[in-house]
Amino acid sequence: MPVLAATNIAHSYGERVILDGVSLSIEPTDRIGIVGRNGAGKSTLIRVLTGLLKPDRGEVVVQRGARVGHLSQEPNLKPTDTLRQAAEDAFAELRRLHDAMHDVYDQMATATGDALDRLMKQQAKLEADIEAAGGYVTDHKIEEVLHGLGFVDAQFSILVGKLSGGQRARLSLAKLLLEQPDIVFLDEPTNHLDLAGRLWLESFLRDEYKGAVVLISHDRYLLDNVVNRIIEVEQSRLIDYPGNYEAFRALRSERRLVMQRAFDAQQTRFKKEEEFIRRYKAGQRARQAQGRLSKLEREKLSSTLERPAELGTFKLTLPKAERTGDVVVAARGLSKAYTDEHGNTKTLFKDLDLVVARGERWGILGPNGAGKSTLVKCLLNELAPDTGTVRLGTNVKVGYFRQTHENLPAEVPVYRFLQDVILREAPGQALSEQQARNLAGAFLFSGSEQDRQMGMLSGGERTRAVLASLLASAKNVLVLDEPTNHLDIPSSERLEEALSIPDEDGSLGFDGTLILISHDRALIDATCDHLLILDGEGNAQQFLGGYTEWHEAEVRKQRAAALEREEAERRKQRNQPRRPEGSKSPAPKSNQASNPLARLKDEELEKRITMLEVEVHEIDKDLGEPEAWKDAEMMQDLTERREVAQRKLSELEAEWLRRADEN
């Protein structure tokens, strides 16, 4: 039975139709990703489904008793609460149940007979309700979620009124996840999360959250790793696809190719009919031509197919930049720190050596506040480091995309803005009006949108216009600071195309040096071959490869460290001192006769333990390989083998400990 069903929903803003008679059913186990261009109606759909917006037509029915949760863009939090108190509000119903239980206990102290029976039944129901609402371990859950979303213990006592906008958004998300509604609607939940926060949210939604999830996100890896169903909002309709985002892309491409072929075939048939009508409308076959004209007009009115949107990619040749020297930027012994409002010193990076060579593509990663933007400003000589030196290479021409765009000409149309920027930055490669319109089209501005004034654009549209101007202004070094923050998925994918190595035909692509700050893992994987990872404590790690390679290496490193800790603990247990003479052994001897391991010699017992430890370690290494995660059969086999080996190992270790206790 669906937890929520929407039927024949229609909604318009003025003459603009956003949703046109759409229907949707959400099952309790669904993990749904809502995708579509900015302005297509994704947020409108969410607002209708959550009851925040009454549609022009249609109805939304929620399963009786089901709780609906929604991540609001304007969190409803009390400014006088501490951060932890605000999170604890998620368990307000649980506190009420505990109070009711204490009340029942007080009454049971003096009740007898039927009254006591009634109170005992009430107690049983309250216990079941308490368990369903979170039980008695709420403190641990609160800390787990707050830590996962990037808060540290020292922030728990900060008043909500003193939190930044991003912190309040993360707190609102934490409170919603702690409430555990039956269906949760999340609109861009990763907007204020760094990489660690995104990974935690993925894991929580995939492995711990029990209800249905409906989310809008431009984080493609989040969609790939969490959702099992994609709903695309396109041309006022909903198109349902099974699987994650990667499966959706393949299915959508096939669907649009079929649609394009059907559209082309219908248009060809229409043209043949029109040619027949023109040729014979005045001759002996005029009556037949008139009949076919009437039939054609009816068919065009009732069953003309729509041309599919965004079929294929737009090819565009961008101006080539001059060649830089072999070294683009070199930093030696770079350090930077600052003092916060409480007088504490925060070290962003220290003694950092970095060389960026021509043509390399560097991604800079790290938690929020780790100093990524500060480092870039130091590398570009916009900000002086505390220690160290920076040297820019020869003939370096930097295009710098910042997180905020100020002083953009408000009354200039998009195509003219592109012309003006190229004329100023690369006078020798000025664009004609048609070339500027082609450039705007490559960055997903349709014909009419190219004439809109810059001051009338949304944040995502301004971002696209600025990125287009940077890529076409013949810069040989691009520095991009969170370029996808306001972009929808199609725009992010177009940016990837623009930043990719150009094809042999010289089409859309960038052949210079790239320095990218981003939490967008898909963008980093698609464009970067070097990484610099700041840990937020002043340390930096350099890695040759993309995000996925680095993340897999980190997972293997963490597993190896965990194995080492387990091995150290086992060695510690084996080497524990013997019990003093006369002391009692906790292990009973009565079961030794029925214990087959008791007959093994000590040397054989330890040999088997060592062999099984090696076997478990080797299986864990295999589990850490990417190939295992891509092969479900291999993964199942490795998992089963590990469970068997670990069970045998645990039995042997228990026997070893029993003997140690007896001695």
Side-chain angles (χ1 to χ4, degrees):
M1 179 179 178
V3 68
L4 183 147
T7 308
N8 199 29
I9 301 297
H11 194 74
S12 302
Y13 293 112
E15 296 183 357
R16 186 183 173 206
V17 178
I18 304 298
L19 301 172
D20 187 11
V22 304
S23 298
L24 173 65
S25 178
I26 302 172
E27 299 297 325
T29 58
D30 273 342
R31 300 283 193 274
I32 298 175
I34 308 289
V35 302
R37 293 293 308 275
N38 283 344
K42 302 186 298 295
S43 294
T44 298
L45 175 64
I46 292 286
R47 294 180 66 209
V48 168
L49 296 178
T50 55
L52 297 175
L53 176 67
K54 183 175 175 56
D56 299 336
R57 187 179 74 245
E59 66 172 352
V60 176
V61 178
V62 179
Q63 186 183 94
R64 179 176 295 180
R67 294 174 300 125
V68 176
H70 176 230
L71 180 61
S72 172
Q73 299 299 321
E74 297 182 3
N76 183 22
L77 302 169
K78 298 177 184 175
T80 54
D81 279 349
T82 65
L83 186 150
R84 184 176 185 113
Q85 286 171 337
E88 287 174 345
D89 275 350
F91 296 103
E93 174 62 13
L94 184 59
R95 286 202 303 270
R96 186 193 68 77
L97 292 171
H98 280 304
D99 291 342
M101 179 69 85
H102 289 307
D103 208 30
V104 167
Y105 287 150
D106 290 341
Q107 295 180 54
M108 288 172 70
T110 57
T112 59
D114 292 343
L116 182 58
D117 290 341
R118 178 180 55 79
L119 288 170
M120 291 179 69
K121 290 178 181 178
Q122 191 174 347
Q123 175 196 358
K125 183 179 184 309
L126 284 170
E127 285 178 347
D129 291 344
I130 287 172
E131 184 64 28
Y136 297 87
V137 290
T138 57
D139 285 346
H140 169 71
K141 290 182 179 178
I142 289 170
E143 291 170 6
E144 176 196 355
V145 173
L146 289 178
H147 289 158
L149 293 177
F151 293 107
V152 297
D153 291 350
Q155 295 174 306
F156 287 4
S157 59
I158 297 176
L159 294 179
V160 169
K162 294 187 177 181
L163 297 177
S164 67
Q167 289 172 327
R168 284 197 296 272
R170 283 188 283 136
L171 175 57
S172 181
L173 176 58
K175 183 179 175 183
L176 179 60
L177 296 177
L178 286 166
E179 288 172 350
Q180 291 275 323
D182 299 289
I183 179 170
V184 62
F185 292 89
L186 304 175
D187 192 345
E188 297 293 0
T190 61
N191 269 359
H192 301 282
L193 297 182
D194 56 22
L195 279 175
R198 293 178 185 219
L199 286 169
W200 179 88
L201 181 62
E202 272 182 19
S203 175
F204 186 89
L205 292 177
R206 183 184 62 239
D207 303 328
E208 295 188 41
Y209 190 79
K210 304 304 180 186
V213 176
V214 180
L215 65 91
I216 298 171
S217 179
H218 61 253
D219 187 325
R220 287 159 284 171
Y221 279 15
L222 177 69
L223 293 173
D224 268 338
N225 294 328
V226 171
V227 309
N228 54 24
R229 184 178 166 196
I230 293 284
I231 292 176
E232 184 180 27
V233 185
E234 181 183 78
Q235 297 175 335
S236 308
R237 294 171 298 183
L238 303 184
I239 306 163
D240 207 331
Y241 296 85
N244 62 7
Y245 183 75
E246 185 178 5
F248 154 74
R249 287 191 68 183
L251 291 170
R252 179 182 59 175
S253 178
E254 292 174 7
R255 169 181 164 268
R256 288 184 171 172
L257 186 59
V258 170
M259 289 176 62
Q260 184 68 43
R261 288 171 177 166
F263 175 83
D264 291 342
Q266 187 182 61
Q267 292 299 308
T268 299
R269 187 164 53 80
F270 284 171
K271 288 177 182 177
K272 287 182 179 178
E273 286 294 297
E274 290 166 351
E275 176 61 26
F276 178 91
I277 293 165
R278 278 195 302 271
R279 180 176 299 178
Y280 296 110
K281 64 180 180 180
Q284 294 180 350
R285 304 174 70 177
R287 181 177 296 179
Q288 183 182 2
Q290 184 60 42
R292 291 174 73 159
L293 174 61
S294 300
K295 181 180 178 182
L296 178 62
E297 288 175 345
R298 288 195 303 272
E299 185 176 359
K300 282 185 176 182
L301 187 64
S302 63
S303 57
T304 297
L305 299 176
E306 293 182 1
R307 181 191 297 273
E310 297 176 33
L311 185 68
T313 57
F314 191 98
K315 292 294 183 181
L316 179 74
T317 301
L318 294 175
K320 299 302 178 186
E322 297 180 36
R323 185 184 178 92
T324 67
D326 290 340
V327 175
V328 171
V329 60
R332 293 286 183 270
L334 217 59
S335 300
K336 189 69 179 178
Y338 71 93
T339 303
D340 64 20
E341 58 185 5
H342 303 294
N344 302 315
T345 299
K346 168 77 171 177
T347 300
L348 300 177
F349 43 88
K350 59 188 176 185
D351 302 325
L352 173 62
D353 295 335
L354 178 67
V355 177
V356 178
R358 183 182 65 245
E360 291 181 345
R361 293 154 173 266
W362 283 80
I364 301 180
L365 316 182
N368 293 331
K372 301 183 292 293
S373 297
T374 299
L375 173 60
V376 162
K377 290 176 182 177
C378 289
L379 294 176
L380 298 180
N381 289 321
E382 289 193 0
L383 185 66
D386 296 338
T387 64
T389 59
V390 175
R391 181 174 61 84
L392 288 176
T394 58
N395 203 33
V396 168
K397 296 180 179 178
V398 177
Y400 189 3
F401 177 90
R402 305 169 191 269
Q403 291 192 36
T404 57
H405 311 299
E406 300 173 351
N407 303 318
L408 294 178
E411 298 180 358
V412 174
V414 172
Y415 81 89
R416 188 53 191 264
F417 166 75
L418 298 176
Q419 282 184 302
D420 292 346
V421 172
I422 292 3
L423 184 63
R424 182 178 67 249
E425 299 294 332
Q429 304 192 51
L431 301 181
S432 67
E433 178 177 334
Q434 187 56 53
Q435 288 173 321
R437 289 186 180 277
N438 289 344
L439 176 61
F443 283 83
L444 306 180
F445 287 98
S446 65
S448 60
E449 291 172 338
Q450 296 171 11
D451 294 305
R452 290 180 62 195
Q453 294 180 345
M454 292 292 293
M456 302 297 291
L457 301 183
S458 67
E461 290 168 332
R462 284 196 299 273
T463 293
R464 279 191 278 129
V466 173
L467 286 169
S469 69
L470 276 179
L471 281 156
S473 58
K475 303 298 184 185
N476 49 31
V477 178
L478 286 181
V479 179
L480 309 181
D481 192 347
E482 297 290 1
T484 59
N485 268 2
H486 300 288
L487 296 185
D488 55 25
I489 291 179
S491 300
S492 296
E493 291 174 341
R494 183 50 51 91
L495 176 61
E496 284 181 13
E497 292 180 52
L499 293 176
S500 64
I501 302 295
D503 297 332
E504 292 181 1
D505 62 0
S507 60
L508 186 64
F510 175 65
D511 61 358
T513 304
L514 174 67
I515 298 176
L516 171 68
I517 299 174
S518 182
H519 298 308
D520 188 331
R521 294 162 289 172
L523 179 66
I524 297 166
D525 264 342
T527 61
C528 295
D529 51 25
H530 291 69
L531 299 180
L532 178 67
I533 303 98
L534 305 182
D535 68 356
E537 298 179 1
N539 305 306
Q541 172 194 359
Q542 297 184 33
F543 182 83
L544 179 61
Y547 166 79
T548 296
E549 295 168 289
W550 169 74
H551 180 62
E552 289 173 349
E554 288 296 300
V555 170
R556 288 195 295 270
K557 190 187 302 181
Q558 291 167 8
R559 285 176 178 163
L563 283 172
E564 285 184 14
R565 289 193 297 270
E566 290 175 9
E567 175 62 23
E569 183 62 30
R570 282 195 288 266
R571 285 196 298 266
K572 180 180 176 182
Q573 290 175 350
R574 290 178 197 166
N575 296 329
Q576 61 185 330
R578 294 184 178 185
R579 291 179 175 274
E581 288 186 15
S583 63
K584 264 187 141 182
S585 170
K589 297 184 179 181
S590 57
N591 293 330
Q592 289 187 33
S594 61
N595 178 10
L597 299 180
R599 295 192 293 269
L600 291 176
K601 294 181 179 180
D602 288 348
E603 295 80 2
E604 179 65 21
L605 182 65
E606 292 183 355
K607 180 180 177 182
R608 291 193 184 186
I609 288 175
T610 301
M611 291 174 62
L612 282 167
E613 285 176 344
V614 171
E615 182 180 351
V616 170
H617 181 67
E618 291 299 319
I619 293 173
D620 283 336
K621 283 174 60 179
D622 292 339
L623 283 169
E625 294 299 323
E627 291 76 12
W629 294 93
K630 296 174 184 176
D631 188 334
E633 192 172 323
M634 182 189 297
M635 175 61 67
Q636 183 176 357
D637 178 63
L638 288 170
T639 303
E640 290 175 353
R641 283 173 51 202
R642 192 189 191 284
E643 288 175 354
V644 171
Q646 186 62 55
R647 185 175 67 253
K648 292 179 179 178
L649 179 59
S650 298
E651 292 170 355
L652 290 169
E653 288 178 333
E655 172 62 18
W656 193 95
L657 289 172
R658 184 190 66 76
R659 296 184 187 188
D661 288 337
E662 289 180 1
N663 294 330

